[in-house]
Amino acid sequence: MSVAIRVIPCLDVHDGRVVKGVNFLNLRDAGDPVELAAAYGAQGADELTFLDISASSQGRATTHDMVRRTAETVFIPLCVGGGVRGVDDVDVLLRTGADKVGINTGAINRPQAIDDITRRFGNQVLVLSLDARREAGQPSGYGVTTHGGRQSAGLDAIAWVKEAVDRGSGEILLNSMDADGTTGGFDLPMIEAVRAVVDVPVIASGGAGTVQHFVDAARAGADAVLAASVFHYGTLSIAEVKQGLAEAGFPVRMVTPA
């Protein structure tokens, strides 16, 4: 039997609150992270992803408390990212209650961090968080970005994702910075390009606006579909997305009524 397509709400956390913007700009408050997490757990989300976009020491402490409180109330996997640089950061987050940890800039700055983390904890805990956008100068046409998509890392996205998996990353969170927050649809060619070079699960992120967009991402090769705005502001429910995937022939873990 095929593995179920996972539906994952993403909570971008800034100073202890969930926020959402377009292309990481013009952030709007979307609520309390623990309350939202509990609601998504009840709605049948398969996982939750927290991305700490504060990056300050105060923000990190806030995130640790938030993860701890969430883990005590929501019993689905939690992936936490933001400010992760190495083994020590991962150790703290796992002890706090995270099941998986996302790494982005920390791995770009020091790729050996991937080897170190997966050797210590196993590749199932490490998710490469990849903020990519179209970049004419790169062989694949896609470049890696940092700082919310505003700065090029000078890396080809497809080459980088392959290297990260070769080093031990167990999963790829593929975020299209061109599509992020636009609700215009996932970047399907990017999903297909990554799917062609790695055999670990790929989470599609950036651009969801309709149920059909989630279906299209699954058809392009995504193993999981992640979104923020459409869930936070009530445009779509977890159940509606899962129903659409099921009707399109994809296996999903259907929502059990409370």
Side-chain angles (χ1 to χ4, degrees), residues 175-258:
N175 187 39
S176 168
M177 296 309 301
D178 295 314
D180 180 78
T182 66
T183 68
F186 293 95
D187 189 327
L188 304 181
M190 183 189 291
I191 296 170
E192 291 167 350
V194 170
R195 175 79 285 159
V197 298
V198 301
D199 57 5
V200 300
V202 175
I203 306 166
S205 170
T210 68
V211 169
Q212 187 60 45
H213 290 158
F214 291 92
V215 173
D216 292 342
R219 286 185 175 142
D223 302 276
V225 284
L226 177 147
S229 303
V230 292
F231 294 143
H232 299 341
Y233 301 126
T235 307
L236 296 173
S237 69
I238 304 288
E240 287 173 319
V241 172
K242 290 194 170 188
Q243 186 64 37
L245 287 165
E247 289 175 358
F250 291 99
V252 293
R253 183 182 69 88
M254 293 306 292
V255 180
T256 303

Side-chain angles (χ1 to χ4, degrees), residues 80-244:
V80 183
V84 173
R85 296 176 182 84
V87 167
D88 291 345
D89 297 318
V90 174
D91 186 57
V92 171
L93 285 169
L94 293 177
R95 291 176 187 275
T96 303
D99 298 282
K100 295 189 282 191
V101 175
I103 189 169
N104 185 344
T105 306
I108 293 169
N109 292 339
R110 195 175 75 88
Q112 180 65 33
I114 298 173
D115 306 69
D116 296 342
I117 292 165
T118 55
R119 189 179 301 118
R120 169 84 176 271
F121 301 106
N123 66 356
Q124 76 283 351
V125 308
L126 189 66
V127 179
L128 180 78
S129 182
L130 175 65
D131 292 337
R133 70 179 345 145
R134 283 176 166 75
E135 192 174 317
Q138 298 297 342
S140 71
Y142 297 104
V144 179
T145 71
T146 60
H147 300 80
R150 294 184 296 277
Q151 196 166 307
S152 171
L155 295 172
D156 181 86
I158 305 306
W160 170 234
V161 81
K162 187 176 186 307
E163 178 183 346
V165 171
D166 288 344
R167 287 180 176 273
S169 294
E171 196 163 16
I172 305 300
L173 171 51
L174 178 64
N175 187 39
S176 168
M177 296 309 301
D178 295 314
D180 180 78
T182 66
T183 68
F186 293 95
D187 189 327
L188 304 181
M190 183 189 291
I191 296 170
E192 291 167 350
V194 170
R195 175 79 285 159
V197 298
V198 301
D199 57 5
V200 300
V202 175
I203 306 166
S205 170
T210 68
V211 169
Q212 187 60 45
H213 290 158
F214 291 92
V215 173
D216 292 342
R219 286 185 175 142
D223 302 276
V225 284
L226 177 147
S229 303
V230 292
F231 294 143
H232 299 341
Y233 301 126
T235 307
L236 296 173
S237 69
I238 304 288
E240 287 173 319
V241 172
K242 290 194 170 188
Q243 186 64 37

